[in-house]
Amino acid sequence: MCHAHRVTSEPARPADPGAGADPAALAKVVARQRAEMERLRDTAAVSAVLERAKGALMARTGCSPDAAHDELAQRAKAGNRTLLEECWLTLGALLPSREQAPGTAQPGAAPPPAAAWEALPAGTDDLAELLGRIGRDLVRVGSAQELAGCLLDHLGPEAGAGAVLLYERLRDGGLELIGHAGIGRAFALRWHRMAPLSGVAPLGALAVGEPRWLEDLAADRQHHLLIGDPPERWPSRAWLPVPGGDAADFALGVLRRRGGAFAPRERELLRAVARLCAGRLRAFDAPPEQPEDDVAQTVQSMLDALPGAVILLTPLRAASGEVADYRIDAATPDAVDVFGRTGRDMVGTHILESYPSVAGEPLWHGYLDALITGVPFESEPFAYQDVADGVPVTATYSVRAAPLGKGLLVTWLRHDTMDRQERRLADVQRLGNLGWANWNLVTREISWSAQTYAVLGLDPARGPVRLERLPDLALPDDAGVLADAIASLVRHARPFDVPFRIGAPEGVRHLRIVAEAVTEPDGTPAEVHGFVQDLTAQRSAELALVESERAMLLQRGILQAERALAARLQHALLPLPSTPVRLAGLRVEVAYLPSQSGIHVGGDWFSAVELADDAALFVVGDVAGHGIGAVATMAQLRFTAKGMVSTGSSPTGALTRLNRLLLNSRDGRTTATMVLARYDPRTGVLAWAQAGHPPPLLVRRGEVRYLDRPGGILLGATAHPVFESAELRLEPGDRLVLYTDGLVERPGEVIDAGFARLAAAARADSRGGAGSLEALLATLPADERRDDVCVLDIRMPPDEE
């Protein structure tokens, strides 16, 4: 309950119905009860109006709830009004004059009593309550940015607002964005500043002190600059002066995503909100903006004391907010541009007016990036070309731009032509490990580059060496040749290019000196210039190359001799039959193809022999490695396997013993793969086992398949291998192919592709009749053979012989 309407009378007690009062007394009691209920209802209405008025006053002045209550009470007492009447005056000040609440038209007019609440125009009650809520929320914001966010929270559902913008009028007449909500960072950066130009809607609202309602996009864009990217994103918008009238310093923008006119209630709400915002904007403790002229003068006073080339650039923005140019507002005395202007002569000029070719270049974009991101920009050295008084002007610069306030502090370094040439010459001498030297034979003046001392291993503090004393630096074997070349140059002006050696702590260094003479008109040498170059690295590389070539030739001879020996040993140990042979009733054909890469002989081998019991032994193996060692291991395995099977060992037993043999060999690291088969002609059964070897290929009645391999790991891999055996009953016309992996492997190809290719070749060969071993070998072209190939082609004749 408000303080101005304290209830002092006690409620009347109803008469006791059982007291036997007469009807007149009872009517009086009922009348008193009705009056009391009416008073209580008016008291509740007063409390609601009081809370709304307090919220509005808090938003406009930034005071606390208690202070707002006291302020309303003091105003009511000073104006000889009730607290309810003062609340109506406060709320009425927020509403448009044409629809003000009763009692707010003129000071001194009779304000409405509390009971007149229901008689207000439709919607006034709701609007006043909404303004009270907004006012209480605005009290809690602490910046223009938070203020914009708070307004968007309320105006979004109430007025369809999609974005809220707050602009402040600057001393130059332009606008600066101080708070926003509902837009992105890029939008805010682009429209951060607006120049004082005609057609800018917020400036127009501030100029006339009245809102600008932009509700027809097609018509409005003909007369106003519509912000937004693109403007069609906001079909309708409103700009209102804050607090109102021609004294407003702020503009409130409400952008909507829907088109059409603002409803009367929405307009009243926005006008009232603009008045509410005035107090909060004045309450923010933002320091006053320093005039740009004062900033420039402050910076200029600092730059006057600095060396080098430094300028202060102030961006000049177009009506759209984009940077259109830069103005030089301060400069150091040592600053010199490409046209020769220095210091204060540059102040006041515009970048694009003085240097138009900068537009669109990386330097221009670097300035913009520094303004937007706040990160300093540093350019690579670039050549700037222009024309001054009809004469082409070119200079090379490196530029750095750092944000300073709302502008840029720009420094640059001009690379002089002579400086660049000297630097390039120094780089050439350093990279080429050479130095130039000059001897004046008339004045006896000597000048050397710093690199010359480094090449000759001399101390620059001791000065250069006279021309005739240079041979003293060379080794004795080279000193005479160098002395003769110098004497011929000095006497007859004959240029020379002489290699020589000098001693150094790290060893002998190989140098080269090239020199020529500058002669007088009569041909007398007057000056000698040339260079000294260190060729130690090149000479060492040449000697190392010669030594390497000699070692390679020696190694190649050794390898060729080893290959020849291994080949002879292989041919002696593994003779190849020139024609197919008959073993145990089977026709056997053998092929061996050496590798086409390298000069080593591999360890691929076969064995096809008839045993004492008329059975036949067939073996195909592959020893890892090449050379004599592989051939020796191959021979050991071949003869051992033959002996074991001949003495009754089974295929699996023979593989077990051969595995032990490899593990007990000299190095114990040799491995091998193998297929070992024993054919019994009495039963026609081929019993076989394998150790990590590719499966045999069977061709039977035109069908081709690979035999399922029994278990078995390659020989030499483990001390406890497990070998299993399998049996195959050969039928008349069967063809069985045993081979090493060189037949199916190709570089960069999976092994399954090789198996499929071999099977396809065998299938095609079987359709042509008996088939031939050459057809299978043709699946691997000679130029792709990276390993030896060994093949046993075993056939069962169609009819028993």
Side-chain angles (χ1 to χ4, degrees):
M1 180 182 297
C2 74
H3 297 282
H5 289 268
R6 304 182 185 274
V7 180
T8 57
S9 61
E10 291 293 327
R13 297 180 178 178
D16 185 358
D22 58 13
L26 184 59
K28 290 181 180 180
V29 172
V30 172
R32 284 197 301 270
Q33 289 177 341
R34 288 180 177 176
E36 180 65 17
M37 292 177 63
E38 184 69 18
R39 187 183 64 81
L40 293 174
R41 187 177 68 82
D42 290 344
T43 302
V46 170
S47 297
V49 176
L50 175 62
E51 291 301 317
R52 296 167 189 166
K54 284 170 58 179
L57 189 59
M58 290 162 60
R60 297 186 67 176
T61 64
C63 64
S64 65
D66 291 340
H69 187 282
D70 294 342
E71 177 67 18
L72 290 172
Q74 291 176 7
R75 290 182 182 182
K77 182 177 180 181
N80 195 25
R81 293 184 291 270
T82 65
L83 184 59
L84 178 61
E85 293 168 350
E86 188 62 40
C87 290
W88 273 115
L89 289 175
T90 301
L91 290 174
L94 298 176
L95 299 176
S97 58
R98 64 182 180 84
E99 294 186 9
Q100 284 179 329
T104 63
Q106 295 292 337
W117 180 265
E118 292 82 357
L120 293 176
T124 304
D125 183 8
D126 173 65
L127 188 57
E129 183 176 356
L130 174 60
L131 291 174
R133 292 200 306 270
I134 297 176
R136 286 191 295 272
D137 289 345
L138 291 185
V139 174
R140 291 190 289 269
V141 302
S143 66
Q145 186 71 13
E146 294 179 6
L147 176 61
C150 180
L151 291 179
L152 182 60
D153 291 341
H154 287 283
L155 298 181
E158 296 293 338
V164 171
L165 305 171
L166 289 170
Y167 278 95
E168 181 180 7
R169 179 154 49 185
L170 302 177
R171 297 183 57 165
D172 63 358
L175 294 175
E176 181 177 16
L177 184 65
I178 60 173
H180 60 84
I183 63 173
R185 181 173 179 271
F187 185 110
L189 287 174
R190 180 176 180 184
W191 298 98
H192 181 71
R193 295 283 292 271
M194 285 196 283
L197 302 175
S198 61
V200 179
L203 284 176
L206 292 177
V208 300
E210 289 294 332
R212 288 291 177 91
W213 308 99
L214 307 183
E215 300 163 323
D216 186 346
L217 184 64
D220 293 334
R221 70 191 316 164
Q222 301 296 325
H223 306 287
H224 298 282
L225 172 66
L226 301 182
I227 70 174
D229 189 14
E232 292 79 4
R233 183 181 179 187
W234 316 100
S236 61
R237 57 194 75 194
W239 292 99
L240 300 98
V242 178
D246 54 6
D249 293 325
F250 303 93
L252 168 63
V254 178
L255 281 61
R256 302 198 304 180
R257 298 183 185 274
R258 68 169 188 259
F262 287 82
R265 181 183 181 279
E266 293 172 342
R267 291 195 177 198
E268 294 172 6
L269 173 62
L270 295 184
R271 287 177 184 270
V273 166
R275 294 187 179 94
L276 279 178
C277 292
R280 294 309 303 151
L281 290 173
R282 286 193 297 266
F284 297 144
D285 296 328
E289 181 185 13
Q290 186 178 5
E292 293 184 1
D293 293 342
D294 295 344
V295 174
Q297 292 176 4
T298 302
V299 175
Q300 182 63 66
S301 63
M302 293 187 296
L303 296 189
D304 287 339
L306 293 179
V310 186
I311 60 174
L312 173 66
L313 293 183
T314 299
L316 305 177
R317 300 181 182 272
S320 63
E322 296 181 348
V323 176
D325 203 346
Y326 295 91
R327 184 180 64 244
I328 301 177
D329 283 342
T332 57
D334 294 341
V336 181
D337 68 0
V338 68
F339 303 116
R341 290 177 296 193
T342 60
R344 296 292 181 93
D345 295 336
M346 302 168 60
V347 176
T349 60
H350 292 186
I351 293 296
L352 294 185
E353 291 179 359
S354 302
Y355 323 103
S357 60
V358 171
E361 294 297 319
L363 180 63
W364 182 266
H365 295 298
Y367 285 172
L368 293 178
D369 290 341
L371 280 176
I372 295 175
T373 64
V375 178
F377 161 74
E378 296 186 9
S379 75
E380 297 291 336
F382 66 94
Y384 178 80
Q385 299 179 346
D386 214 320
V387 178
D389 298 329
V391 178
V393 178
T394 302
T396 302
Y397 295 93
S398 295
V399 177
R400 186 180 190 274
L404 179 63
K406 298 176 182 178
L408 292 174
L409 196 65
V410 178
T411 60
W412 70 87
L413 176 65
R414 179 169 178 167
H415 305 283
D416 186 72
T417 303
M418 293 303 296
D419 293 340
R420 294 199 307 273
Q421 291 178 349
E422 291 182 2
R423 186 167 57 254
R424 290 170 182 170
L425 180 58
D427 291 341
V428 169
Q429 294 183 83
R430 176 179 53 81
L431 296 175
N433 204 6
L434 57 85
W436 60 265
N438 183 274
W439 292 270
N440 192 309
L441 304 180
V442 178
T443 63
R444 297 296 179 180
E445 292 178 346
I446 306 174
S447 59
W448 283 6
S449 68
Q451 192 67 21
T452 302
Y453 293 96
V455 171
L456 292 174
L458 301 178
D459 184 2
R462 303 183 62 179
V465 176
R466 298 197 305 272
L467 183 61
E468 63 272 15
R469 304 297 299 177
L470 277 182
D472 297 342
L473 303 177
L475 295 181
D477 292 343
D478 300 334
V481 177
L482 181 57
D484 292 342
I486 293 175
S488 179
L489 174 67
V490 172
R491 295 172 186 169
H492 307 292
R494 293 175 182 170
F496 66 79
D497 183 346
V498 175
F500 66 100
R501 294 167 295 167
I502 63 173
E506 66 274 12
V508 176
R509 296 171 60 186
H510 298 264
L511 308 182
R512 170 196 181 201
I513 181 170
V514 179
E516 64 180 8
V518 179
T519 62
E520 299 286 356
D522 61 356
T524 302
E527 186 176 356
V528 174
H529 57 252
F531 67 86
V532 181
Q533 185 176 17
D534 189 345
L535 302 178
T536 303
Q538 294 90 319
R539 184 59 178 164
S540 298
E542 292 173 357
L543 294 176
L545 181 60
V546 171
E547 185 64 26
S548 177
E549 290 178 349
R550 182 182 298 111
M552 288 175 61
L553 291 175
L554 178 61
Q555 183 66 20
R556 186 176 183 85
I558 295 174
L559 293 176
Q560 287 177 338
E562 180 183 340
R563 176 180 174 83
L565 176 60
R568 289 196 298 270
L569 179 61
Q570 186 181 52
H571 290 315
L573 298 175
L574 194 65
L576 294 175
S578 58
T579 60
V581 296
R582 291 277 183 170
L583 294 175
L586 302 177
R587 181 180 181 274
V588 181
E589 191 172 359
V590 181
Y592 180 85
L593 301 176
S595 168
Q596 296 298 311
S597 62
I599 63 172
H600 289 296
V601 175
D604 289 26
W605 56 281
F606 72 93
S607 183
V609 296
E610 192 166 348
L611 303 176
D613 57 356
D614 296 329
L617 172 66
F618 301 106
V619 185
V620 171
D622 185 0
V623 177
H626 296 83
I628 295 178
V631 173
T633 302
M634 174 269 291
Q636 189 179 27
L637 293 177
R638 182 173 186 265
F639 291 113
T640 303
K642 179 181 178 181
M644 289 180 180
V645 177
S646 298
T647 57
S649 293
S650 64
T652 56
L655 291 178
T656 302
R657 291 179 175 83
L658 292 174
N659 182 75
R660 190 177 303 112
L661 176 66
L662 283 183
L663 291 176
N664 294 331
S665 62
R666 183 169 52 186
D667 57 9
R669 295 189 298 270
T670 303
T671 59
T673 66
M674 183 185 301
V675 169
L676 190 149
R678 185 180 185 280
Y679 174 68
D680 187 348
R682 295 186 297 269
T683 61
V685 174
L686 182 80
W688 68 288
Q690 63 89 28
H693 201 83
L697 179 69
L698 176 65
V699 182
R700 175 174 289 173
R701 294 187 294 273
E703 296 296 328
V704 179
R705 67 180 178 91
Y706 289 96
L707 300 183
D708 294 332
R709 296 193 308 171
I713 193 172
L714 75 163
L715 302 177
T718 177
H720 304 287
V722 175
F723 297 107
E724 299 175 351
S725 63
E727 292 184 350
L728 173 68
R729 185 177 298 278
L730 294 179
E731 300 178 0
D734 282 354
R735 181 182 186 185
L736 187 66
V737 181
L738 309 181
Y739 54 92
T740 56
D741 56 6
L743 184 63
V744 293
E745 287 185 343
R746 286 187 182 180
E749 181 182 73
V750 296
I751 191 66
D752 289 344
F755 287 145
R757 184 172 51 252
L758 178 61
R763 187 178 297 108
D765 190 38
S766 66
R767 298 186 187 129
S772 63
L773 182 56
E774 288 76 8
L776 299 183
L777 299 178
T779 60
L780 183 65
D783 58 349
E784 296 187 10
R785 194 163 60 246
R786 298 294 184 267
D787 198 1
D788 296 351
V789 176
C790 186
V791 181
L792 275 179
D793 188 2
I794 305 170
R795 302 175 189 238
M796 170 71 79
D799 298 317
E800 289 291 335
E801 295 183 358

